Amino acid sequence: MIHFDSIVKHYPLEAGFFAREEHKVFAVNGVDFRVEPGEIYGLVGESGCGKTTTARLLVRMERLTGGNILFRSRDGREFRLAGIGRADLAALRSRVRYVFQDPARSLNPRLSIREVLLSGYRYSPRWPGRSRAEEEARSLIQEVGLSVGDLDRRPADFSGGQRQRISIARALITQPEVLICDEVVSALDVSIQGQILNLLLRLREERGLTMIFIAHDLAVVGYVSDRIGVMYRGVLVEEAPARTLMANRRHPYTQYLFESLPVLRTDGESHRRRGDPALRATFSRRADATENPVSDATFLEMDEPEPGHRVSRIFSDAPRR
Amino acid sequence: MKRFWRVLFRRPVAAASLVVLVLLYGGMIFAEVLSPYAPTTVFRESAYHPPNVRLWSSELGLRLQIQKYALVDEINWRYAPIRGEYVPVKLFVQGPEYRMWGLFPASVHLFGTEEAYPGYSADWSAAGRTYPVYLMGADNLGRDLFTRILYGSRISLTIGFIGIAISLTLAIVLGGLAGYFGGFADWLIMRVAEFVILIPGLYLILFLRSLLSRDMDSGQSFILITVILSFVGWPGSARLIRGLVHSIKREDFVINAQLESIPALVIIFRHIIPQMASILIVSITLGIPGFILGETVLSYLGLGIVDPAVSWGSLLNREVTTLSNLRSFPWFLYPGLFLLLTTLAFNFLGDLLRDVLDPYYRERRLGS
Amino acid sequence: MILTVENLSVDFATGGGLLHAVRDVSFTLDAGEVVGIVGESGSGKSVTAQSILRIIPANGRIAAGDIRFRDRSVLALDGEELRRFRGREVAMIFQEPGRSFDPIYSIGKSLAETIRAHQPDLGEDEIRERSIRLLEEVHVTNPERRLENFPHQFSGGLLQRIMIAHALASDPTVLIADEPTTALDVTIQAGIVDLLLELRRRRNVAILFITHNLALISSFADRLVVMYGGLVMEEGRTVDVLRSPRHPYTAGLLASLVPFGAHHSQQSLFILSGAPPNPMAPEPGCPFAPRCPLAKPGCREAIPEIRTDGGSRVRCIVEGPK
Ligand SMILES: Nc1ncnc2c1ncn2[C@@H]1O[C@H](COP(=O)(O)OP(=O)(O)OP(=O)(O)O)[C@@H](O)[C@H]1O
Ligand SMILES: Nc1ncnc2c1ncn2[C@@H]1O[C@H](COP(=O)(O)OP(=O)(O)OP(=O)(O)O)[C@@H](O)[C@H]1O
Ligand code: SF4
Ligand SMILES: [Mg+2]
Ligand SMILES: [Mg+2]
């Protein structure tokens, strides 16, 4: 179980000795949600709304400005991200793995696939010894749909989709409980995306993985996720089970976001802008992240109009339909 | 590699440089066979003898041969050719004995003469007394300059590699740590580097050298020179490497390695530094001439290699003492010519490597 | 026809040998028409577009074919003529608007430079007036004030609009847009598409729109060109291609789209197995053969000829809708 407990992350806009405190980016402003074991939690929202930052805080690629993240692992161990110690962090990072968007950049181009898989594993608390690890690498590479011979090749020898499989294998080798998938299919061709989505769903079944799944493509997030959180300007504005959200969106921003999505039209009907002009006027203004949208903590409270469907009050004074 | 040959093919100067370097290093490795004598073989009667090898004469026709000279002015060591007297130069002749690479005894030399020489040398008994062949003239003891240049290259051509190895190791370690950790480590290392850069290199070299005793044997001098030169040479590369590490550090694959709890030192040296292999190769190639010249300067100033050991710098030091000396015996500049060739060749080759390894360099001729 | 691409082939010299990026590509663009090019990454879409403007990278070469603008061959243009063709007749906008601007110039300054390049005899005031009108045309609010701003003060969507304003400065007949919305949010994409359509209506400019996004292009292209492995696989009216695809790749691509509202608990995805072709080692014959559910031994022998099938042009030996 993961609990993002009112997390806040502000980046300084200026660096160095004379940096002024008040100049900062309000990337995440009090986001609060839970991810249950074995669940796929989708995060959507426009560019810059803080999805990546939220995910990175969980593996402490960034340090929390405020709030806390609680992770209770399957063996009952509890990790609190604020002020976590070195040993705990290593243990956490072998249980929670981050898969990057662009495998061409997240795989060291000079290492063979075998080295890619094992170089990090060696330092994980679960390292089983060289020969045992080698065996695991072999079975894992087949599990993600490549062959044992591929272990000796280099990342450049593979296509984008195959590289993403390698990335996933690399994450899986420490037998994690949680996989953070940040735009893992965004850089891939449509004809390859499905293969990777299926792989992730299969791995979730077989290994009981928990996933945080971030993507721009709402149809994709809607398809793979069990529950979805919608973010806007560093705030969680709506959260609901995927199927509920796909059918019934309550927050005006969610409505606006989903109505912008182009849909395949085979009727020859020429382009007609859908959506409510009033909504568009409210939300199409560039969300300026140097301006804190939250002036008062009560804004962060969420209503729960039906069980499991939470809607934030912030920005909800926009025209609602 | 294929790309290397293709680009090389289009760049005749770089190709020539490669040939020059292969020849020079070949000469260095096989100095014993290629040179007609030992670097210490003395012909007292022919001090300051001019080069005497020629390709053609009416008597012997077109073949490698020696023009005989007679000493005409014993005070100024002036020689004059003796009309009509030539000695054929033969290939693979027996000459002074030597040990190949200090191991196998042998006495075959690539070229030499078989005609008896009237004023033979006393310290050379075994292989007979034959007429000396001076491809590039002789020094004040009648020692063959060509031989001495070949043997001298053993120091001059290796000092670059050893020096760059030491200075680059320093640069990689210090630049890597500074770039990766940033903060105080970065500040400290970069200030030290700037300090070393600020001191004019030559004075630093002289200062360091003067701290140490003057009468060391050649082995010690050699080690000392390389260490001094490396110490002066690391800051430039360290700054370059620091900058690169600093930018590569933000790449996803490094962040990924950090998330895998790989120790920082392993990340720096196993994951980040190898990414710069091509830049390092170029900087090695372009850095070698600096060391060669550094050794020359030290030796020229009498602070480096001294007799009986030879390097190109010590040759220049010994022979090119006065201008009038140069005017009378211009062949004493041959070591300088070798130096120039080597330096230029490394530079052209470095340029070529930079272009070959630079992914953005395209062979322009194919463009439409 | 304004623009005709005929049997275009483009090769690149690479470290590993010759790479055939575009092979025998033909299509046409009529005045005021929108043609979409879709296809796998690396299928040669951008190289095709670059060939039209003759801006392919230096290691590339147009190996065969012709590109005709009105009745002249673009490949025969040179010097001044080529410059005029690039500036006045055909303009191009790119995927990442941020990279196309010089960060040290204000928007007004760079726009003025573009206008002056096309109309050297305009005065300062006229240029300013034209700049403002152009920004208004692409719906940038407060154009007078915005002229003073620098690129980093704009969002990606606004920069893309300004890039379109640059392209319009020369009043081109053809606009080539290479993935102009891919780097933008869904909420902003639609606005850019609206703008392009409005320009088409008002100025009758023809648009060649390159994209990965079938859903986006489906509602506004008149015709579609589907590329795979450097080849045109299918070309026809958008409705025909999307409603009854004649090529197995087009059909596979459409089926691979995750339908909006589908959920994994109820429905499994259509999977097109295999990987896109490696351009350095192309398959003999049809490049789609290793992934094609209908492949026959004959498919691997030679590249299928393109032929007409139900109003579309299709490069496949199997006839009929897929
Ligand atoms: N290291 C950083 N320093 C300063 N600001 C940052 C940093 N990382 C992110 N930001 C800012 O924080 C905000 C949130 O960024 P984040 O990357 O979390 O967004 P996102 O939702 O993942 O967007 P995208 O969909 O584009 O990936 C943005 O305004 C971004 O510019
Ligand atoms: N300068 C170049 N040198 C070598 N190969 C190149 C060069 N430019 C493009 N290519 C190759 O040509 C092929 C077609 O590239 P192109 O950019 O047209 O693809 P694309 O369809 O636009 O793909 P994407 O959707 O990813 O933009 C690719 O295989 C690419 O690797
Ligand atoms: S030619 Fe053959 S392999 Fe190619 S698409 Fe048609 S049926 Fe498939
Ligand atoms: Mg992100
Ligand atoms: Mg492209």
Side-chain angles (χ1 to χ4, degrees):
Chain A
M1 196 271 312
I2 310 164
H3 181 194
F4 291 84
D5 184 1
S6 309
I7 57 166
V8 176
K9 174 66 193 179
H10 297 165
Y11 292 105
L13 249 186
E14 298 169 25
F17 196 68
F18 296 106
R20 276 165 298 177
E21 251 304 290
E22 70 270 26
H23 284 225
K24 49 192 173 186
V25 179
F26 296 87
V28 176
N29 304 294
V31 164
D32 198 307
F33 64 94
R34 282 162 194 272
V35 180
E36 301 301 333
E39 153 179 77
I40 300 184
Y41 190 94
L43 266 183
V44 296
E46 69 190 38
S47 183
C49 69
K51 308 179 294 291
T52 297
T53 303
T54 301
R56 292 191 166 195
L57 286 167
L58 174 57
V59 285
R60 228 204 46 183
M61 252 193 272
E62 307 287 352
R63 281 162 197 266
L64 283 160
T65 307
N68 207 342
I69 301 174
L70 172 78
F71 168 58
R72 191 176 302 121
S73 104
R74 250 181 246 147
D75 52 13
R77 212 164 144 182
E78 284 201 0
F79 300 87
R80 281 169 212 282
L81 265 291
I84 190 169
R86 242 175 182 293
D88 276 351
L89 188 60
L92 171 97
R93 283 176 172 172
S94 79
R95 289 172 170 80
V96 181
R97 297 299 305 262
Y98 194 100
V99 184
F100 287 76
Q101 164 168 2
D102 185 355
R105 293 201 296 164
S106 67
L107 300 174
N108 186 337
R110 287 179 188 268
L111 298 186
S112 70
I113 303 310
R114 172 180 289 103
E115 290 166 319
V116 163
L117 292 181
L118 298 185
S119 69
Y121 194 18
R122 167 162 305 121
Y123 300 100
S124 114
R126 305 191 184 184
W127 174 249
R130 178 86 211 179
S131 60
R132 184 82 195 89
E134 169 83 31
E135 236 169 76
E136 288 178 20
R138 262 188 248 151
S139 81
L140 198 53
I141 200 80
Q142 287 168 301
E143 190 175 342
V144 298
L146 297 172
S147 66
V148 172
D150 291 332
L151 284 173
D152 295 311
R153 298 164 69 197
R154 274 161 213 278
D157 301 341
F158 295 89
S159 70
Q162 290 171 320
R163 279 189 213 136
Q164 201 55 283
R165 290 173 191 270
I166 295 165
S167 268
I168 292 169
R170 172 195 193 160
L172 291 178
I173 197 150
T174 57
Q175 290 136 30
E177 294 166 34
V178 181
L179 219 53
I180 302 173
C181 304
D182 190 355
E183 312 264 10
V184 289
V185 293
S186 307
L188 303 179
D189 276 312
V190 174
S191 71
I192 303 297
Q193 278 185 5
Q195 300 177 1
I196 301 294
L197 294 179
N198 264 13
L199 172 66
L200 288 174
L201 286 168
R202 198 189 81 216
L203 289 170
R204 193 267 291 258
E205 270 330 296
E206 290 169 2
R207 296 174 167 246
L209 289 170
T210 309
M211 289 188 200
I212 296 180
F213 188 92
I214 300 173
H216 271 118
D217 189 330
L218 299 171
V220 166
V221 179
Y223 178 79
V224 294
S225 307
D226 299 312
R227 285 194 303 142
I228 296 178
V230 183
M231 288 181 70
Y232 177 62
R233 294 180 65 183
V235 174
L236 192 71
V237 293
E238 185 163 1
E239 180 191 77
R243 290 169 59 190
T244 312
L245 196 76
M246 295 311 269
N248 177 20
R249 297 171 281 279
R250 289 177 181 265
H251 194 280
Y253 176 73
T254 318
Q255 292 168 359
Y256 168 68
L257 182 69
F258 276 68
E259 278 164 9
S260 309
L261 185 73
V263 286
L264 188 76
R265 307 185 71 122
T266 53
D267 50 8
E269 183 80 356
S270 105
H271 175 88
R272 193 171 48 83
R273 187 71 185 279
R274 303 178 315 142
D276 187 330
L279 278 183
R280 202 182 335 145
T282 311
F283 293 112
S284 65
R285 185 175 70 90
R286 176 163 152 78
D288 189 354
T290 58
E291 207 177 283
N292 192 345
V294 186
S295 52
D296 179 349
T298 59
F299 273 123
L300 289 174
E301 283 171 20
M302 293 179 93
D303 298 325
E304 198 161 342
E306 52 191 310
H309 194 157
R310 300 194 296 148
V311 185
S312 157
R313 291 184 198 156
I314 196 167
F315 309 118
S316 61
D317 46 352
R320 190 190 286 241
R321 280 180 302 143
Chain B
M1 214 46 207
K2 235 168 129 184
R3 188 175 150 79
F4 176 80
W5 295 116
R6 208 174 47 238
V7 179
L8 189 68
F9 190 69
R10 296 228 179 95
R11 305 254 295 245
V13 178
S17 300
L18 193 66
V19 172
V20 165
L21 288 179
V22 168
L23 288 179
L24 283 170
Y25 279 89
M28 177 191 96
I29 293 168
F30 299 104
E32 286 92 343
V33 183
L34 296 178
S35 62
Y37 309 104
T40 46
T41 307
V42 172
F43 295 89
R44 286 189 204 288
E45 297 74 15
S46 49
Y48 300 113
H49 198 289
N52 60 1
V53 176
R54 55 188 292 170
L55 276 175
W56 190 86
S57 71
S58 49
E59 276 76 11
L60 294 178
L62 186 68
R63 67 159 299 160
L64 220 50
Q65 53 195 289
I66 283 170
Q67 164 82 65
K68 282 192 183 176
Y69 281 81
L71 188 62
V72 291
D73 175 352
E74 293 198 17
I75 296 163
N76 293 317
W77 292 97
R78 299 239 177 265
Y79 291 79
I82 309 170
R83 185 171 304 230
E85 292 207 19
Y86 302 96
V87 181
V89 171
K90 303 230 165 91
L91 294 183
F92 301 106
V93 295
Q94 294 295 319
E97 282 170 5
Y98 56 85
R99 280 176 167 268
M100 187 70 199
W101 299 322
L103 297 174
F104 323 105
S107 59
V108 177
H109 294 261
L110 179 66
F111 63 93
T113 58
E114 287 178 340
E115 189 167 314
Y117 180 57
Y120 55 84
S121 178
D123 54 347
W124 168 21
S125 49
R129 304 142 186 169
T130 59
Y131 207 95
V133 38
Y134 291 129
L135 195 58
M136 297 180 176
D139 69 1
N140 63 339
L141 296 178
R143 295 180 295 198
D144 176 31
L145 198 57
F146 175 67
T147 301
R148 289 172 65 77
I149 288 175
L150 281 186
Y151 279 92
S153 68
R154 293 218 155 142
I155 285 179
S156 293
L157 292 181
T158 50
I159 201 160
F161 280 104
I162 297 174
I164 204 98
I166 299 177
S167 93
L168 209 61
T169 309
L170 268 176
I172 287 176
V173 171
L174 294 174
L177 294 176
Y180 187 79
F181 289 110
F184 181 70
D186 185 26
W187 184 89
L188 187 69
I189 292 171
M190 285 304 111
R191 291 307 85 79
V192 172
E194 279 158 18
F195 180 72
V196 176
I197 288 175
L198 271 178
I199 313 171
L202 190 59
Y203 292 110
L204 184 65
I205 292 173
L206 293 179
F207 171 71
L208 290 173
R209 185 64 178 82
S210 69
L211 285 185
L212 300 145
S213 77
R214 265 174 162 268
D215 36 54
M216 286 184 298
D217 69 33
S218 284
Q220 288 173 329
S221 293
F222 180 81
I223 294 169
L224 192 70
I225 293 172
T226 30
V227 169
I228 291 177
L229 291 176
S230 310
F231 182 71
V232 179
W234 70 267
S237 325
R239 288 223 290 209
L240 173 81
I241 290 168
R242 168 192 175 263
L244 289 170
V245 171
H246 200 73
S247 63
I248 296 176
K249 186 179 127 182
R250 290 148 205 243
E251 298 273 336
D252 279 354
F253 74 85
V254 176
I255 297 178
N256 215 337
Q258 288 168 343
L259 288 180
E260 287 178 325
S261 311
I262 299 179
L265 290 182
V266 178
I267 294 184
I268 299 175
F269 298 112
R270 283 266 300 139
H271 293 248
I272 298 183
I273 299 289
Q275 310 298 323
M276 327 179 191
S278 54
I279 291 176
L280 293 181
I281 289 172
V282 173
S283 103
I284 287 174
T285 319
L286 294 176
I288 287 175
F291 283 90
I292 298 181
L293 288 176
E295 179 272 327
T296 313
V297 170
L298 280 180
S299 298
Y300 184 73
L301 294 173
L303 303 172
I305 306 293
V306 285
D307 256 4
V310 269
S311 75
W312 292 348
S314 75
L315 282 175
L316 284 171
N317 167 43
R318 263 185 59 87
E319 320 301 354
V320 188
T321 40
T322 62
L323 221 54
S324 72
N325 203 341
L326 252 192
R327 208 177 310 128
S328 326
F329 317 116
W331 55 89
F332 286 167
L333 274 181
Y334 272 118
L337 183 70
F338 274 77
L339 206 61
L340 189 71
L341 269 180
T342 313
T343 316
L344 287 179
F346 271 114
N347 274 311
F348 288 128
L349 198 67
D351 285 345
L352 174 87
L353 284 174
R354 177 165 47 211
D355 292 345
V356 170
L357 297 171
D358 173 7
Y360 299 105
Y361 174 86
R362 304 266 185 212
E363 301 95 289
R364 300 227 155 64
R365 283 225 206 130
L366 271 173
S368 63
Chain C
M1 286 307 127
I2 305 198
L3 189 71
T4 315
V5 174
E6 272 169 21
N7 308 103
L8 179 73
S9 295
V10 182
D11 295 342
F12 284 102
T14 70
L18 217 54
L19 182 152
H20 306 289
V22 169
R23 304 189 268 174
D24 196 22
V25 163
S26 306
F27 61 89
T28 60
L29 187 65
D30 216 342
E33 191 182 30
V34 178
V35 170
I37 304 187
V38 297
E40 216 87 347
S41 173
S43 60
K45 305 184 294 295
S46 298
V47 172
T48 303
Q50 289 160 0
S51 310
I52 295 173
L53 279 176
R54 304 245 320 260
I55 52 170
I56 49 178
N59 62 327
R61 191 171 60 92
I62 294 181
D66 197 4
I67 294 162
R68 309 186 69 78
F69 182 77
R70 296 196 205 277
D71 282 321
R72 300 200 53 188
S73 167
V74 173
L75 302 186
L77 301 179
D78 56 2
E80 186 55 34
E81 282 178 323
L82 182 61
R83 267 230 306 289
R84 198 161 31 207
F85 168 73
R86 282 181 187 154
R88 302 237 171 110
E89 310 288 12
V90 179
M92 186 152 174
I93 55 178
F94 300 92
Q95 175 168 349
E96 284 186 42
R99 287 202 190 160
S100 313
F101 287 95
D102 191 331
I104 62 164
Y105 283 126
S106 70
I107 292 305
K109 202 161 174 192
S110 62
L111 201 51
E113 213 165 82
T114 307
I115 296 173
R116 199 169 296 127
H118 297 299
Q119 288 159 300
D121 34 279
L122 282 188
E124 283 302 316
D125 291 345
E126 286 165 300
I127 286 181
R128 196 181 149 75
E129 205 174 293
R130 252 190 81 82
S131 307
I132 292 173
R133 252 190 292 127
L134 281 171
L135 288 190
E136 272 169 357
E137 191 171 357
V138 296
H139 306 300
V140 172
T141 46
N142 260 332
E144 293 90 349
R145 275 230 325 273
R146 285 307 223 169
L147 281 179
E148 265 82 72
N149 290 11
F150 288 85
H152 69 92
Q153 292 168 299
F154 291 87
S155 64
L158 274 176
L159 277 183
Q160 194 58 281
R161 286 171 186 274
I162 294 168
M163 196 144 100
I164 295 173
H166 271 262
L168 294 178
S170 56
D171 199 11
T173 359
V174 175
L175 192 63
I176 300 178
D178 190 355
E179 315 217 21
T181 61
T182 306
L184 305 177
D185 266 316
V186 274
T187 52
I188 294 156
Q189 278 178 5
I192 299 291
V193 169
D194 276 347
L195 173 64
L196 290 175
L197 286 178
E198 188 188 319
L199 293 173
R200 186 250 299 247
R201 241 191 356 262
R202 227 186 15 243
R203 294 176 171 238
N204 201 34
V205 48
I207 300 174
L208 189 63
F209 194 99
I210 297 173
T211 184
H212 277 115
N213 195 331
L214 265 178
L216 184 75
I217 194 84
S218 68
S219 62
F220 84 102
D222 301 310
R223 284 187 302 122
L224 280 184
V225 176
V226 182
M227 290 185 68
Y228 191 88
L231 295 164
V232 171
M233 288 307 199
E234 178 161 4
E235 193 246 292
R237 294 199 314 139
T238 307
V239 217
D240 295 341
V241 172
L242 296 183
R243 208 182 288 160
S244 67
R246 302 276 156 161
H247 195 281
Y249 171 63
T250 319
L253 194 60
L254 284 166
S256 303
L257 289 177
V258 179
F260 184 83
H263 196 254
H264 66 265
S265 57
Q266 292 172 313
Q267 177 178 352
S268 60
L269 289 178
F270 173 84
I271 297 295
L272 198 53
S273 60
N278 173 3
M280 292 308 297
E283 303 281 329
C286 176
F288 190 58
R291 305 174 72 185
C292 182
L294 305 179
K296 299 204 254 283
C299 301
R300 293 172 187 263
E301 276 158 21
I303 296 176
E305 289 299 317
I306 204 152
R307 56 180 176 74
T308 317
D309 186 352
S312 300
R313 288 163 60 235
V314 185
R315 199 185 278 282
C316 175
I317 58 171
V318 179
E319 292 189 25
K322 304 293 169 337

